[in-house]
Amino acid sequence: MIYLIPLVLMIIGYSKYDFPKRKTKDFILWGLLYLVLVSIFGLRYKVGGDTYNYMAYFEYAPELSFWTPIDVSGFEPGFTLFSSLIKTCFDDIYVYQSIISAIMTFFLMRFIKQNTIYKYLAFLLIYVAIYIYFSTEVIRESLAVVLFLQIYPLLEKKKYFLYYPLCLLLLTIHSSAVITLFIPFFRNLKFKKQFRIYLVCTIACGLLLSIIMQKLAAFSIFQKLMRYDQHSYVGYAWVGFRFIYFSILPLFVLYVCKKYRMVCKYENIICLQILFGFGMWFVPIVFQRLINYTIIFYLVSLSCIIGTCLRNRVYLSSLSYIARKNRKVLARVILISTLLAHSSFYIHLNFYERYIPYHSIFDPVTEPLREKYVAGQD
């Protein structure tokens, strides 16, 4: 199966380059991984539910000379301008998909490379958790997310005069980027006693927002959200599974870091994701979309934690032998649990049918079950 090719490359990179006895160059494998991913998802043929919507949109998208900020598709003006530019230059849906895939994957890999020495392990976690979903479903939002990854260092350096204008530009790609305007307020959020207060407030706000949405269901925007909510997040079991790997697992990771005195990169963002996970119990569609802006930070941080625990070199010499041994066991448990939990996304309600079997422009087959799923979305 074609999805296994990137997975194999990541496992090779993980075993050969993430834990080297001596420093070696890996630009050939890293570059090959990039080309393989862009080829698979750029040249896909009707793979993913929202892919159908973007194919239909691009067919009728105006060329640059006819572009206007307000579009009948309802898409944000930054994205429609970007689409019209490609339409003017190429007018080919597969070039369009390839360019989007190339941009998204480039900025994602750039962020990974800059923030962890265990980059293949990080990409393995991201690939299993959200990469296919980002590449075929929430395409506009995924562009906003990977661009936010590049903007975030400005927040760390407190360059707000650059951070906020760039975040406003992200809003022209997808409206969910509004969360980036509020993230600075949680810049100093830590896994300490004050976190409990944030947790209680999140639960209260989630409950209140749920009640408000039900009361205002008569308005069209809330009717759309409620329909989307009912269709996309079916039952407490579905929300429960996602709650476990968006909140419970990260809580456990932070507990392990605190217990063994390990540095947790992006602790504030991980804490924020946990809060979003609790809010998801009450309003799944709202908080689930917000988690898209935190999940990559969490998985990259997790790769650092797991990698540090598994390396032979002892980073915390003050710990006892048993403590160091326990760290390795916990790291393996967290790694396996994370991979299993996130892969369950594709199994629930047969969601894998959106991606399997895979077809490309070289094998343009339309899947009846996928067509039926997409028809049910409309």
Side-chain angles (χ1 to χ4, degrees):
M1 199 163 58
I2 198 167
Y3 298 119
L4 295 179
I5 297 175
L7 203 61
V8 170
L9 293 176
M10 292 171 199
I11 293 173
I12 292 172
Y14 167 75
S15 59
K16 187 175 181 180
Y17 297 111
D18 278 359
F19 300 92
K21 292 181 180 178
R22 57 188 178 83
K23 194 172 182 179
T24 55
K25 299 290 184 181
D26 70 326
F27 62 90
I28 293 178
L29 183 60
W30 193 243
L32 178 61
L33 178 59
Y34 174 77
L35 291 175
V36 167
L37 287 169
V38 172
S39 298
I40 291 174
F41 293 97
L43 301 178
R44 70 188 186 277
Y45 179 80
K46 294 185 177 180
V47 175
D50 273 1
T51 294
Y52 284 75
N53 297 330
Y54 287 100
M55 291 176 74
Y57 165 72
F58 189 75
E59 182 178 354
Y60 297 102
E63 293 189 355
L64 202 55
S65 57
F66 298 101
W67 175 82
T68 58
I70 300 176
D71 191 273
V72 293
S73 67
F75 290 169
E76 290 77 1
F79 183 80
T80 59
L81 178 61
F82 168 73
S83 301
S84 293
L85 179 61
I86 298 176
K87 178 91 170 187
T88 303
C89 297
F90 300 105
D91 197 11
D92 187 298
I93 180 62
Y94 302 107
V95 174
Y96 179 60
Q97 288 183 166
S98 297
I99 291 174
I100 291 175
S101 180
I103 293 172
M104 191 199 80
T105 307
F106 172 80
F107 284 120
L108 176 59
M109 294 180 79
R110 183 175 185 266
F111 178 79
I112 292 172
K113 188 175 181 179
Q114 291 177 339
N115 288 277
T116 178
I117 61 174
Y118 310 102
K119 57 186 185 181
Y120 291 99
L121 175 58
F123 211 151
L124 176 65
L125 293 168
I126 291 169
Y127 183 75
V128 171
I130 50 94
Y131 185 84
I132 298 175
Y133 171 67
F134 269 35
S135 297
T136 61
E137 301 291 344
V138 289
I139 296 172
R140 284 177 297 138
E141 189 169 14
S142 68
L143 287 174
V145 169
V146 296
L147 290 174
F148 174 63
L149 299 178
Q150 316 308 308
I151 296 172
Y152 188 78
L154 295 174
L155 176 58
E156 292 181 310
K157 297 173 184 176
K158 299 183 180 181
K159 294 184 178 180
Y160 301 112
F161 62 96
L162 287 175
Y163 175 82
Y164 277 108
L166 290 173
C167 287
L168 289 174
L169 286 177
L170 294 183
L171 281 169
T172 69
I173 299 175
H174 198 276
S175 57
S176 63
V178 67
I179 186 59
T180 63
L181 300 176
F182 297 95
I183 286 179
F185 297 104
F186 301 93
R187 187 171 165 272
N188 297 315
L189 184 60
K190 299 291 182 182
F191 188 59
K192 296 180 179 179
K193 290 183 179 180
Q194 64 169 355
F195 181 71
R196 299 174 187 174
I197 300 174
Y198 283 98
L199 197 57
V200 171
C201 291
T202 299
I203 294 172
C205 289
L207 181 60
L208 182 61
L209 184 59
S210 176
I211 294 172
I212 291 174
M213 287 181 64
Q214 290 175 2
K215 296 293 184 182
L216 299 178
F219 294 93
S220 59
I221 183 173
F222 288 98
Q223 287 177 348
K224 182 179 179 180
L225 280 173
M226 296 296 282
R227 285 198 304 270
Y228 193 7
D229 202 20
Q230 291 168 0
H231 185 84
S232 301
Y233 308 97
V234 182
Y236 286 106
W238 173 239
V239 177
F241 272 117
R242 298 179 79 75
F243 174 72
I244 289 172
Y245 55 75
F246 284 145
S247 289
I248 301 303
L249 274 175
L251 269 173
F252 181 65
V253 169
L254 290 179
Y255 168 77
V256 170
C257 289
K258 187 174 182 180
K259 180 177 177 62
Y260 294 106
R261 304 190 297 279
M262 299 173 64
V263 175
C264 181
K265 193 176 181 68
Y266 301 123
E267 181 179 351
N268 62 317
I269 300 293
I270 297 174
C271 287
L272 194 58
Q273 176 176 300
I274 293 169
L275 296 179
F276 291 158
F278 275 86
M280 193 174 62
W281 269 110
F282 305 98
V283 192
I285 183 57
V286 173
F287 287 96
Q288 159 67 28
R289 302 308 286 259
L290 299 182
I291 288 172
N292 289 339
Y293 288 86
T294 63
I295 186 68
I296 294 175
F297 290 98
Y298 164 62
L299 294 173
V300 169
S301 300
L302 187 59
S303 72
C304 296
I305 295 164
I306 293 173
T308 300
C309 290
L310 294 180
R311 288 190 72 168
N312 292 327
R313 179 181 171 186
V314 179
Y315 283 87
L316 299 176
S317 57
S318 60
L319 292 177
S320 66
Y321 170 79
I322 294 176
R324 293 197 297 271
K325 198 74 174 177
N326 287 343
R327 284 199 313 160
K328 288 191 174 185
V329 173
L330 286 172
R332 292 189 178 98
V333 169
I334 291 170
L335 174 60
I336 294 171
S337 300
T338 301
L339 293 174
L340 289 177
H342 283 283
S343 61
S344 68
F345 167 80
Y346 303 103
I347 300 172
H348 187 76
L349 297 177
N350 297 331
F351 280 0
Y352 64 88
E353 292 174 354
R354 293 181 288 182
Y355 318 110
I356 301 174
Y358 172 88
H359 297 291
S360 72
I361 60 173
F362 307 108
D363 175 34
V365 177
T366 299
E367 291 293 327
L369 286 175
R370 198 170 294 156
E371 295 278 318
K372 183 178 178 181
Y373 167 79
V374 173
Q377 288 275 61
D378 297 334

